[in-house]
Amino acid sequence: SASAEEVDEVRWLHLSDARGRLTRAGDLAPLDALTAAAADEVLAGRPVIIVRHAAARPRDTWARADADRPLVASGRRQALALSALLRCWQPERVVSSPWRRCLETLGPYLAASGARLRVKGGLSEDGFRRDPGKAGRHLANLLGRDGAGLLCTHRPVLPAVLDVLRAAADEPVRALIPSADPYLAPGEVLVAHTVSGSRGPRVVAVERHPSGG
């Protein structure tokens, strides 16, 4: 990038006007990339975030209902790290399994941000077994809405959620969406950058963030 001493004036121009003012061939590549992105409707994006709940008490050490299984100490640290990470995108629409380990994973972020939580039974393991299509529909709903969204669920539910994400993804992006068990590690985050165009919601990029803590 140019230093302040090299810049005489900053001005917004139409793409065609900017092209006419460029004198170096090397400066055309960034402008061409910007033009292509605008034509492909990928500039006005929004994040849809998928979270696998943080590390929880092992099933074989928990005698009560699975829905009540809590996070362990490392999972609580992961939840705190997740809260800090989510400030990058500030999702306001948050949907989650109603099970305790998901709610504890999101608790620090919800307390810090004031975002509203909507619990969805179809994102729990029992709800998924009863109706395997609901989890994917919850993600499809987030993809079709304005603003940043977040979905928190369990490992057995992730394949159905990620299948919907993959179906909405541009061809080069599909290979970046996890397709093998365990899909995401406990507390891991996948961010899908989504745009709305004439073809409906499209996932144009993804990024993954390992769990903190």
Side-chain angles (χ1 to χ4, degrees), residues 27-203:
D27 291 336
L28 288 173
L31 185 63
D32 289 341
L34 177 65
T35 303
D40 206 27
E41 302 175 316
V42 298
L43 291 181
R46 63 190 183 282
V48 173
I49 302 157
I50 299 171
V51 178
R52 179 180 169 186
H53 68 73
R57 181 92 173 260
R59 293 179 198 270
D60 58 4
T61 67
W62 184 252
R64 283 173 273 176
D66 192 28
D68 296 329
R69 191 154 50 93
L71 299 184
V72 293
S74 61
R76 292 192 293 273
R77 291 193 294 271
Q78 289 171 344
L80 290 171
L82 174 68
S83 176
L85 178 64
L86 291 177
R87 291 175 200 156
C88 296
W89 306 285
Q90 299 181 337
E92 295 182 357
R93 185 172 184 84
V94 179
V95 297
S96 173
S97 160
W99 286 14
R100 180 177 176 180
R101 49 194 180 272
C102 283
L103 300 183
E104 289 185 349
T105 297
L106 297 177
Y109 173 71
L110 295 171
S113 68
R116 180 184 173 189
L117 173 68
R118 296 166 175 83
V119 294
K120 303 292 184 180
L123 293 174
S124 72
E125 294 187 35
D126 283 351
F128 178 67
R129 282 191 288 267
R130 287 193 298 269
D131 185 349
K134 268 192 175 180
R137 292 195 291 272
H138 289 314
L139 180 64
N141 184 49
L142 282 182
L143 291 174
R145 288 181 173 268
D146 294 333
L150 182 149
L151 181 150
C152 182
T153 190
H154 310 260
R155 181 192 57 78
V157 186
L158 284 172
V161 171
L162 295 174
D163 280 348
V164 171
L165 192 69
R166 196 174 292 106
D170 286 357
E171 183 63 37
V173 179
R174 291 175 192 159
L176 303 177
I177 297 172
S179 58
D181 195 17
Y183 307 101
L184 298 174
E188 188 175 2
V189 174
L190 185 146
V191 183
H193 296 281
T194 308
V195 298
S196 294
S198 56
R199 293 172 284 170
R202 295 167 49 208
V203 177

